Amino acid sequence: MAQSFDTRYPSVDDLREKARKRIPRFAFEYLDGGCNEDVNIRRNTSEIRDIQLKPIYIKDFKGASIKTTLFGQEYDAPFGVAPVGLQGLMWPNSPEILAKAANKHNVPFILSTVTTMDIERASELTEGKAWFQLYNPAEDAVRNDILDRAAAAGCPVLVLLCDVPTFGYRPRDFKNGLALPPKMTMANILQILGKPNWALQTLRHGIPTFETLRPYTPEGLNLKQLGKFMDKTFSGRLNEERIKPIRDKWKGKLVLKGVASEEDTEQAIRLGFDGIIVSNHGGRQLDAGESTIAPLTRIAAKYKDQITVMMDSGMRSGPDMARSLARGAEFTFMGRSFMYGAAAMGKKGGDHTMTILKVQLQQILDQLCCENIHDLHKHLI
């Protein structure tokens, strides 16, 4: 077993439980929760796990490799770190922890516009390999400057988010003061006092802020003013008119994240995207929507020859990845899983989580007698 494997936490579920005990409740519920009644967050995982794979034992099996190539870059595993907002709130310095681990394990790390590390630092930690996810600014000048910074940092892939036209209705975040505008409640303060390690780490690394957006944010804003500024500065709604200038300006690979329909897939192909990430934002936006694996199955079958089809939302293990890859995903991303690792284990958490996911996926391929991830579809039942 790899040196970075801690046998106390052999699964993402174990890491989740440790994270729950280690960080304030408001931070854990922001990470862990979905929207409305949490129907779709549960559906995401349960429908993936309905998929069954058959082993084929009597064959000339030469061993399995989980390596794959995506956009001309070879990666050591078919998974990456999905973009997550406000990471430093959940565990201080977690974006750096995960970026370093992704670089060590040779898997992609996607930086969110609204997380707590800036583009330049992400590029430095990943040797210019970090992807960047853009929340499209309302002002063209801000958008163009962010794109210029991403290009100057050597970012190879720009991910454009399409599935946040509104803020998701998240009851726990309202109760905890984490909706926009945010507020600090007495309950939150008491929770912080009950998690001294988290509090000390936060003091050490500083109050989390939207680092990439710092140049565009007026100084001296209180929490309420910051919420209003964010609401005014960013508009999640996309249309052809808003996408075209980005496609024209960005010279690297362009990916549309949040696709959940054939209609949006066809638009992505027509508008010149290189790939899509089929996703429902981890079940945080539309509780009445489909699980991610349902549209992924249809989209991959119909459009895989025209555009690179990737997936996130709902996967928590190597078997989950194998099932999703078998259904047609060419690559997978996870957000919560890696954040559970960072919150549970601090600076060792990213490395450990990536290690267990690699070990789990390798075991699945070896057990199925499947030599590479591209053949997993042959094992579908």
Side-chain angles (χ1 to χ4, degrees), residues 70-88:
L70 179 65
F71 298 137
Q73 172 74 41
E74 185 179 66
Y75 292 108
D76 286 356
F79 65 79
V81 181
V84 177
L86 278 175
Q87 287 166 300

Side-chain angles (χ1 to χ4, degrees), residues 264-282:
D264 283 339
T265 303
E266 291 179 2
Q267 285 281 61
I269 294 167
R270 189 175 64 82
L271 292 170
F273 282 88
D274 300 287
I276 57 171
I277 299 177
V278 178
S279 169
N280 59 24
H281 215 84

Side-chain angles (χ1 to χ4, degrees), residues 63-207:
S65 171
I66 62 172
K67 290 186 177 183
T68 191
T69 299
L70 179 65
F71 298 137
Q73 172 74 41
E74 185 179 66
Y75 292 108
D76 286 356
F79 65 79
V81 181
V84 177
L86 278 175
Q87 287 166 300
L89 171 75
M90 292 166 272
W91 186 258
N93 207 39
S94 54
E96 293 208 3
I97 291 169
L98 298 183
K100 289 176 182 176
N103 196 45
K104 174 182 175 180
H105 284 264
N106 187 31
V107 297
F109 170 85
I110 309 179
L111 183 78
S112 170
T113 302
V114 292
T115 196
T116 51
M117 178 170 69
D118 64 28
I119 299 169
E120 291 78 11
R121 181 64 174 154
S123 176
E124 179 186 347
L125 293 174
T126 61
E127 300 175 17
K129 292 181 285 190
W131 299 16
F132 180 69
Q133 180 207 50
L134 180 69
Y135 270 82
N136 197 27
E139 295 182 20
D140 292 351
V142 174
R143 177 200 68 206
N144 290 340
D145 192 63
I146 292 174
L147 292 179
D148 287 341
R149 288 170 60 195
C155 172
V157 181
L158 179 71
V159 180
L160 188 58
L161 190 69
C162 71
D163 62 355
V164 188
T166 64
F167 290 111
Y169 193 90
R170 303 169 191 163
R172 284 175 296 271
D173 289 354
F174 290 129
K175 291 180 181 179
N176 292 328
L178 293 180
L180 285 177
K183 60 183 178 182
M184 182 57 67
T185 66
M186 180 56 67
N188 290 355
I189 293 169
L190 292 174
Q191 291 169 35
I192 291 170
L193 293 174
K195 307 295 181 183
N197 190 14
W198 181 93
L200 288 171
Q201 291 295 323
T202 297
L203 286 173
R204 178 184 171 195
H205 293 286
I207 301 299

Side-chain angles (χ1 to χ4, degrees), residues 315-354:
M315 292 166 286
R316 301 288 176 90
S317 68
D320 290 344
M321 280 188 282
R323 295 175 176 114
S324 303
L325 293 163
R327 277 288 180 89
E330 296 174 63
F331 207 87
T332 63
F333 289 92
M334 285 165 278
R336 288 186 181 93
S337 296
F338 298 115
M339 286 304 306
Y340 292 142
M345 299 178 67
K347 64 183 180 181
K348 296 180 180 179
D351 187 18
H352 175 75
T353 309
M354 292 174 195

